[in-house]
Amino acid sequence: MELLSWLGQWAFAPMQWLVIGLAIILAYIVFGIAGFGTALVAAPILLLYMPLSKIVPLLVLLDFVAAFGNLLPSRRDVARSELLRLLPCMAVGCTLGVIFLLNLKSDLLLLLMGLFISAYAIYSLLIKTRPTQLSALWALPMGTVGGMFGALFGSGGFLYAIYLNSRLPKEAARATQSALISCSTVVRLSLFVIAGVYAELPLLVLALCLLPAMALGLWVGRRLTMKMSREAFVRLVIWLVLASGLALIVRYLNA
């Protein structure tokens, strides 16, 4: 009864629960294929029902479970030198992002989220070839901004991907990115715990209820990688992400 009482504090209608569940499934299908991007897919939908300051910690809890599931099979391919180069910068960025998330006004975050998602989608659609090799010095801005975006918007993984894919072979880049995102979720989770975000039991109960949707999404995502072109699917998702980002900007302007 107490569990139902905590869950009831969200006051979602049955149809809203269905939409939220489908958003989580779709987000983790993308995660199962690309290794990042849950907030880019799920946040625009979840923003209809809860503030961004709740969505990001919720997705961090789910990402924490999903990221380690992705890392375990490929941990031997991790490029430790690149991981150690990016980790300190990511930790600094995560700290800044949590501070901004807990102190900025919600309407400003809505606009920033829309601009961030739209810029990422446009960049991804324009980039069609593998970038030239970046200098190791790029780890400083990529790691810091990626960590800040990860804490602030729930997804800075695309910046890690840009950097790592320019310096490492495909399998090593993917494995190192999974390790970095795993570490990122630990850092963000720890910062949210210190900030007292998870003292709200209804948020923890909501995450627990959404674990089956997350697991289903991961399972589907991993199966899809075996049956279709990863690039084609991710490109389709990017168009959906762009539409979501533009919708958030329009929503902010209308408000």
Side-chain angles (χ1 to χ4, degrees):
M1 291 298 294
E2 195 172 4
L3 181 64
L4 292 175
S5 175
W6 289 332
L7 196 55
Q9 293 184 35
W10 290 105
F12 296 139
M15 185 57 66
Q16 292 173 335
W17 275 110
L18 177 61
V19 172
I20 291 169
L22 291 175
I24 294 297
I25 291 172
L26 179 59
Y28 285 93
I29 289 176
V30 174
F31 190 93
I33 294 173
F36 63 93
T38 53
L40 294 174
V41 177
I45 300 172
L46 297 182
L47 273 168
L48 297 171
Y49 309 115
M50 64 184 78
L52 188 63
S53 58
K54 303 296 182 186
I55 293 171
V56 173
L58 172 67
L59 293 176
V60 166
L61 282 171
L62 297 176
D63 283 354
F64 178 76
V65 178
F68 279 98
N70 268 5
L71 172 62
L72 290 176
S74 60
R75 60 189 182 279
R76 294 178 182 175
D77 294 323
V78 174
R80 296 187 179 182
S81 59
E82 295 293 352
L83 185 65
L84 293 175
R85 189 176 288 126
L86 286 164
L87 276 176
C89 304
M90 180 203 70
V92 172
C94 282
T95 303
L96 293 173
V98 168
I99 292 172
F100 293 149
L101 180 68
L102 298 178
N103 289 280
L104 289 179
K105 294 181 179 179
S106 58
D107 57 344
L108 179 59
L109 286 176
L110 185 70
L111 175 62
L112 291 175
M113 183 70 171
L115 292 172
F116 170 63
I117 289 176
S118 301
Y120 165 71
I122 292 170
Y123 172 84
S124 299
L125 290 170
L126 291 177
I127 297 300
K128 298 181 180 179
T129 59
R130 181 186 176 91
T132 56
Q133 184 170 15
L134 296 175
S135 164
L137 294 175
W138 277 96
L140 179 60
M142 291 294 199
T144 304
V145 178
M148 185 169 66
F149 281 0
L152 189 56
F153 303 126
S155 185
F158 74 97
L159 288 172
Y160 308 144
I162 292 169
Y163 174 80
L164 292 171
N165 284 325
S166 76
R167 293 182 56 81
L168 298 172
K170 180 180 178 181
E171 293 304 320
R174 184 174 175 82
T176 307
Q177 181 179 321
S178 294
L180 191 62
I181 290 176
S182 298
C183 294
S184 173
T185 58
V186 171
V187 171
R188 287 181 286 158
L189 194 66
S190 301
L191 290 170
F192 284 136
V193 168
I194 292 171
V197 174
Y198 296 125
E200 300 180 25
L201 289 176
L203 184 63
L204 299 178
V205 173
L206 180 61
L208 182 64
C209 291
L210 292 174
L211 277 177
M214 179 272 290
L216 176 60
L218 278 181
W219 182 83
V220 172
R222 288 168 182 165
R223 294 302 180 276
L224 284 175
T225 57
M226 304 176 196
K227 296 183 179 181
M228 65 177 292
S229 164
R230 173 176 177 269
E231 289 74 15
F233 182 82
V234 171
R235 201 162 185 82
L236 173 61
V237 171
I238 289 170
W239 279 106
L240 296 175
V241 168
L242 177 59
S244 299
L246 294 175
L248 287 178
I249 295 172
V250 171
R251 181 179 170 185
Y252 170 84
L253 294 175
N254 288 337

